[in-house]
Amino acid sequence: MTVNLDEKIERLRHFIYEKGKDGVVIAFSGGVDSSTLTALCKEILGEKAVAVTAVSPTYPQEEIEEAVKVARDIGIRHIVVETNELSDENFVRNPEDRCYYCKKDLFICLKNVAKNLGFKAVFEGTNFSDLSGHRPGFRAVKEMEDVYSPWAENNFTKEEIRMIARRMGLSVSDKPPLACLASRIPFGEQITAERLIRVGKAEQIIKRLTGTRQLRVRDHNGLARIEVGKNERKLFFDAEIMDKIVIELKKLGFKYVTMDLEGYRTGSMLLTLEDT
C-alpha cells in the first residue's frame, strides 16, 4: 500500500510527540534535515524542544552563523556547545568509521545537555536516503539509549524533507547538503586543526570568488581537489577567476590546485580506500 506524504507526516508527528513529550534536544546543524525536524518539534512540543548546535574545529564558521539565524527564525530555544573531536585519537587517525567516533562523542554531549535541562530524549537528522550510503555514524544512534532518528525511522527521503521544508516556508529548503570539514581529508591521513582551517578558508575564498553553493575542497596531502555542483562548474571557466583561486589557495599552503571535472558527488573519498 502506498502511503502519501500527509499520512507519513501524521505518523511522524505522533512519533515526535511520543518520543519527545518528556523533553527533547535536537542535534541542530542548520541544514535542511535538522532545521525541518527542529521546526516540527517546536510546533509539536513547544518549550519541551531545544535545538543544540555543537561547535568544533570541524564545523565551518559560516554554518554556525547560519544555524543561529535559522533557529531564531524558527523561534526555538537554541544552545551552542563546544566539542572537540581532535581530542579523540580514534577520530584523529581518520579511519573509515571516523564518523562513528564523532557521532558517539556528540550524542554523549547532547545527552548531558538533555539531562541538565531535565529532558529525556535526543533527536538527530539522519534521513532514510542517507542509509543507502556510507554512514558509520548511524551505528552510534543505534547503540545509545533515548537517541532517535525521526526521519530515518519513519522512512522519510531527502526530497520529502525538502517538500516539508518548502511547505513550512523554511529558508533552508533548497540548501545543499552539509558535511563536516573532516570529510575533506582522505581516510587514513591524520586530521589536524591546521588542515581543517585550511580547507575551511579555501572554501570560503572559492565561494566568494565564484558564488558557488555546492562545494568541497578535498585536501590530498597538499593537493587541493575542488568538487563543485555539476550545474555550477561553468562558474569556474574564466581564466581570471581560476588564477585568483590558485593564488589564494597556494597562500594557504596548497602545492597544487585542481578541479575535479566530475563535479561534486557524495562518497568520492571512499575511492581512496581502494588504494589501501
Side-chain angles (χ1 to χ4, degrees), residues 1-25:
M1 181 180 70
T2 301
V3 179
N4 67 37
L5 184 58
D6 289 331
E7 290 175 337
K8 289 181 72 173
I9 291 172
E10 279 306 306
R11 293 181 185 179
L12 174 68
R13 292 176 68 89
H14 179 74
F15 180 96
I16 289 172
Y17 177 76
E18 286 300 317
K19 302 298 185 184
K21 62 186 177 183
D22 293 323
V24 64
V25 299

Side-chain angles (χ1 to χ4, degrees), residues 56-76:
S56 79
T58 68
Y59 195 53
Q61 178 61 39
E62 65 269 23
E63 296 298 339
I64 299 169
E65 296 166 2
E66 184 160 358
V68 171
K69 178 183 180 301
V70 174
R72 187 185 307 120
D73 291 343
I74 291 171
I76 195 167

Side-chain angles (χ1 to χ4, degrees), residues 168-236:
M168 300 184 80
L170 299 180
S171 61
V172 296
S173 61
D174 65 343
K175 184 175 181 177
L178 299 174
C180 84
L181 293 175
S183 67
R184 299 355 180 223
I185 300 171
F187 294 114
E189 293 187 16
Q190 189 174 48
I191 298 170
T192 65
E194 292 74 22
R195 294 184 80 175
L196 296 174
I197 291 169
R198 180 163 68 178
V199 293
K201 287 183 176 179
E203 291 182 3
Q204 287 180 334
I205 289 167
I206 293 171
K207 286 178 180 179
R208 174 171 52 81
L209 290 173
T210 66
T212 185
R213 299 180 69 219
Q214 182 78 78
L215 173 69
R216 302 286 188 271
V217 175
R218 313 293 190 183
D219 183 352
H220 294 269
N221 196 25
L223 182 150
R225 177 170 61 87
I226 300 168
E227 291 183 18
V228 64
K230 293 181 186 295
N231 63 337
E232 295 182 314
R233 287 175 291 184
K234 59 183 179 292
L235 298 174
F236 287 71

Side-chain angles (χ1 to χ4, degrees), residues 6 17 74 86 98 103 117 120 134 145 154 161 173-174 178 204 225 233 249 256 265 272 276:
D6 289 331
Y17 177 76
I74 291 171
L86 296 181
R98 173 197 67 228
K103 290 294 186 183
L117 291 170
K120 183 177 180 181
H134 180 70
E145 187 177 4
N154 290 277
I161 296 168
S173 61
D174 65 343
L178 299 174
Q204 287 180 334
R225 177 170 61 87
R233 287 175 291 184
L249 266 60
Y256 302 96
R265 66 273 191 204
T272 63
T276 60

Side-chain angles (χ1 to χ4, degrees), residues 5 8-9 32-33 36 125 127-130 151 155-167 172-175 177:
L5 184 58
K8 289 181 72 173
I9 291 172
V32 62
D33 297 333
T36 310
N127 65 63
F128 189 69
S129 304
D130 292 333
W151 295 129
N155 300 332
F156 277 84
T157 65
K158 187 75 170 187
E159 186 50 42
E160 288 174 325
I161 296 168
R162 290 194 186 280
M163 290 173 64
I164 296 169
R166 286 192 284 270
R167 285 187 184 185
V172 296
S173 61
D174 65 343
K175 184 175 181 177

Side-chain angles (χ1 to χ4, degrees), residues 83 85 88 90-91 97-112 122 136-144 147:
T83 58
E85 299 92 336
D88 184 342
N90 290 312
F91 178 85
D97 61 349
R98 173 197 67 228
C99 292
Y100 167 75
Y101 300 104
C102 175
K103 290 294 186 183
K104 186 174 181 180
D105 290 343
L106 172 64
F107 295 143
I108 290 172
C109 174
L110 295 183
K111 283 174 71 71
N112 286 333
V122 172
F138 195 65
R139 193 168 93 233
V141 178
K142 294 188 288 185
E143 287 180 356
M144 303 196 76
V147 176

